[in-house]
Amino acid sequence: MGGYTSTERTGRAPKGTDVSEQHDHAHGSAGHHHAHEHPHHPSPAGLGHRLRHLLTPHSHETADKLDSALESSARGMRALWVSLAVLGVTAVAQACVVVVSGSVALLGDTVHNTADALTAVPLGIAFVLGRRAATRRFTYGYGRAEDLAGIAIVLTIAASAAFAGWTAVERLLHPRPVAYVPAVAVAALVGFAGNEWVARYRIRVGREIGSAALVADGLHARTDGFTSLAVLLGAGGSALGWRLADPVVGLAITAAIVLVLRDAAREVLRRVMDAVDPALVDRAERALREVAGVRAVGELRLRWIGHRLRAEVAVVVDGEATVRQAHAITVDAEHALLHAVPRLTAALVHADPAPVPGEADPHLRLAHHATA
């Protein structure tokens, strides 16, 4: 795009990049974290914003952005380790009951719990990779590893569904009584309690740090909790003498796993395809239109990289503005975006001159590069 200027701060510079080549825009001093040496455009709205700005503790320094990103990954790791321990204990307890009871419904639940616990491995690797600084090869960093972990989780859910279904069908064709029914019932309650606690924890942390993979993992755990209750029903049916209760409940568990597989796959694939909530786009546009000097908002793009957002936007400014004035407007626009859009850590704001009647489109020379 042609135009006057653009501004961006990613919070991380690619390795091997000379500091002098980076955008020289100092954000941070002992007294105030937004020391801009650019003219601002006074207005009633701008004055209100500045008052809120002064009264609200915040910072967009590079170090602060990096600390925030690291804290998000650290919280994700903590959620994974805690849930891994809880689900591990739950799965071991259930496995012991499976051995003595022969319950295929409880076996399916145990397998699903084990798979859910093991999904912490790819997510943990992704969070560790996400902490690494960007390089000249991976200029956006390693946040996409989290999306790959989400795909691994979806495949794990699919595998557990296939195994649970196969086992249930086999037992339906060759039924046999379930032993130690009270122990199976207790194991089912333990499974529900452990999974529901883990589900709440993962979903809450995942939403707070913006991790679709962690939310998907939480939904996975929640379904495990409900399938544990289904095992309880199967145990009740077996206690009443219905030999097919156990495999029938096993098939019901398989159906429940398939449903969570659908939801998790949809969420993860949307993230891989760079989908964002349209409400976030609307919110960003509103914030940009309120910036003094912005006449219109052009192309606006948002994308997730791991559990952090990145924005690219073109704004229209006065065609007679100097480069410094246009740059000041783009800085204000970036600032507004960072405040308005949750988990946004990087923004590239490009300034286009307002069109003048009879003037050729400044982007005309790029037209032959446009893709169909």
Side-chain angles (χ1 to χ4, degrees):
M1 271 183 288
Y4 283 104
T5 185
S6 61
T7 179
E8 176 187 29
R9 295 191 324 282
T10 63
R12 296 178 179 178
K15 207 177 280 184
T17 303
D18 191 284
V19 176
S20 63
E21 294 176 4
Q22 299 174 28
H23 174 62
D24 184 15
H25 189 75
H27 274 63
S29 62
H32 187 49
H33 293 299
H34 287 275
H36 302 306
E37 305 232 351
H38 305 291
H40 289 277
H41 308 274
S43 68
L47 179 59
H49 172 74
R50 285 178 174 77
L51 288 175
R52 291 192 300 272
H53 181 280
L54 290 172
L55 296 174
T56 305
H58 65 285
S59 171
H60 300 308
E61 289 186 72
T62 297
D64 290 324
K65 284 187 176 182
L66 185 56
D67 287 344
S68 176
L70 289 176
E71 174 61 22
S72 295
S73 296
R75 291 189 64 194
M77 287 292 293
R78 188 161 54 247
L80 289 175
W81 287 120
V82 171
S83 58
L84 174 61
V86 173
L87 290 177
V89 171
T90 300
V92 169
Q94 288 184 316
C96 294
V97 178
V98 168
V99 171
V100 298
S101 68
S103 171
V104 70
L106 186 59
L107 174 61
D109 194 36
T110 304
V111 168
H112 201 190
N113 284 336
T114 304
D116 198 18
L118 292 178
T119 55
V121 176
L123 259 183
I125 294 173
F127 281 132
V128 170
L129 284 176
R131 295 181 179 187
R132 298 180 61 181
T135 66
R136 293 183 68 85
R137 181 178 295 278
F138 295 95
T139 56
Y140 284 92
Y142 294 81
R144 285 292 187 185
E146 199 170 317
D147 298 326
L148 295 178
I151 295 175
I153 290 171
V154 169
L155 293 177
T156 301
I157 298 174
S160 63
F163 180 80
W166 176 80
T167 307
V169 170
E170 193 275 336
R171 183 60 58 84
L172 192 65
L173 296 176
H174 306 92
R176 69 170 185 248
V178 175
Y180 300 99
V181 174
V184 173
V186 171
L189 290 175
V190 170
F192 172 75
N195 277 290
E196 181 60 21
W197 188 91
V198 167
R200 289 174 180 266
Y201 186 39
R202 284 180 175 177
I203 291 172
R204 176 172 58 81
V205 174
R207 286 175 177 168
E208 287 174 356
I209 68 174
S211 173
L214 191 54
V215 171
D217 221 12
L219 293 172
H220 185 191
R222 171 154 289 165
T223 302
D224 283 352
F226 288 122
T227 56
S228 294
L229 289 182
V231 173
L232 184 62
L233 293 177
S238 297
L240 294 175
W242 186 29
R243 298 183 65 184
L244 295 181
D246 190 59
V248 166
V249 169
L251 289 175
I253 289 174
T254 302
I257 298 174
V258 170
L259 289 177
V260 78
L261 172 64
R262 180 198 63 184
D263 293 339
R266 181 170 53 194
E267 183 68 22
V268 170
L269 290 178
R270 281 178 178 174
R271 185 63 64 89
V272 171
M273 295 296 293
D274 285 333
V276 297
D277 185 352
L280 283 178
V281 180
D282 295 337
R283 188 171 182 173
E285 287 180 340
R286 285 195 301 270
L288 289 168
R289 290 193 183 100
E290 293 176 359
V291 175
V294 173
R295 295 192 173 185
V297 179
E299 186 177 53
L300 172 61
R301 295 181 179 181
L302 295 172
R303 73 187 308 184
W304 287 98
I305 300 179
H307 52 270
R308 295 183 286 273
L309 271 173
R310 183 182 182 90
E312 297 175 6
V313 60
V315 296
V316 178
V317 302
D318 184 1
E320 301 302 319
T322 65
V323 172
R324 291 186 180 277
Q325 290 171 334
H327 178 259
I329 294 171
T330 61
V331 170
D332 286 345
E334 179 192 10
H335 189 191
L337 284 175
L338 290 169
H339 277 284
V341 181
R343 291 182 289 276
L344 180 69
T345 57
L348 174 64
V349 184
H350 176 83
D352 281 330
V356 175
E359 183 182 42
D361 183 356
H363 304 127
L364 192 59
R365 67 176 61 188
L366 301 176
H368 66 283
H369 291 287
T371 56

